[in-house]
Amino acid sequence: MSVKIVITRLFKAEKIEAAYQLLAELRSKATVQNGYLSGETLVSADNPHKVVVVSSWLSRKRWDEWYSSPKRAAFSEKIAPLLDAPESYEVFLVGRTSPEWVHMA
């Protein structure tokens, strides 16, 4: 079952340009990982230092492999000093439960 990962980061104002560069580099590394499907980067309209990355993965297993990989760990170490707060992430299952209307037929 596919998953969507939502990662929220709040960057220091003076580090935002460096952060954007690292995020682009991280995305390029992720796109070639087994199980990566797609991703997008969202910047808050009210706070340009708040960045949310939403990525889609073939399975939770594939996401976990990427999350625990040395490549990603190295990027996390580079990104950490640019953050105002620790990054947070959440895993969402895609299509885990059927909407109520499916059972009405």
Side-chain angles (χ1 to χ4, degrees):
M1 172 173 305
S2 64
V3 295
K4 289 200 181 261
I5 312 303
V6 178
I7 303 172
T8 304
R9 297 180 180 100
L10 184 60
F11 290 102
K12 296 175 184 173
E14 68 278 7
K15 303 291 185 179
I16 195 68
E17 290 306 318
Y20 289 150
Q21 276 187 295
L22 281 175
L23 289 175
E25 197 175 331
L26 181 58
R27 164 78 51 80
S28 72
K29 300 285 185 199
T31 60
V32 297
Q33 298 307 304
N34 191 12
Y36 178 87
L37 299 174
S38 67
E40 63 183 326
T41 301
L42 309 171
V43 178
S44 170
D46 298 322
N47 180 355
H49 306 128
K50 184 177 184 178
V51 178
V52 175
V53 173
V54 181
S55 61
S56 297
W57 292 80
L58 187 62
S59 67
R60 173 73 184 257
K61 179 183 179 203
R62 296 298 180 212
W63 157 252
D64 288 341
E65 289 170 355
W66 168 241
Y67 184 77
S68 62
S69 73
K71 282 183 187 177
R72 189 178 189 290
F75 273 94
S76 289
E77 287 180 26
K78 291 179 184 179
I79 288 173
L82 310 179
L83 297 171
D84 254 348
E87 73 179 19
S88 67
Y89 78 93
E90 196 167 0
V91 179
F92 292 88
L93 301 174
V94 178
R96 171 77 181 206
T97 59
S98 301
E100 184 178 315
W101 58 264
V102 169
H103 303 290
M104 298 171 104

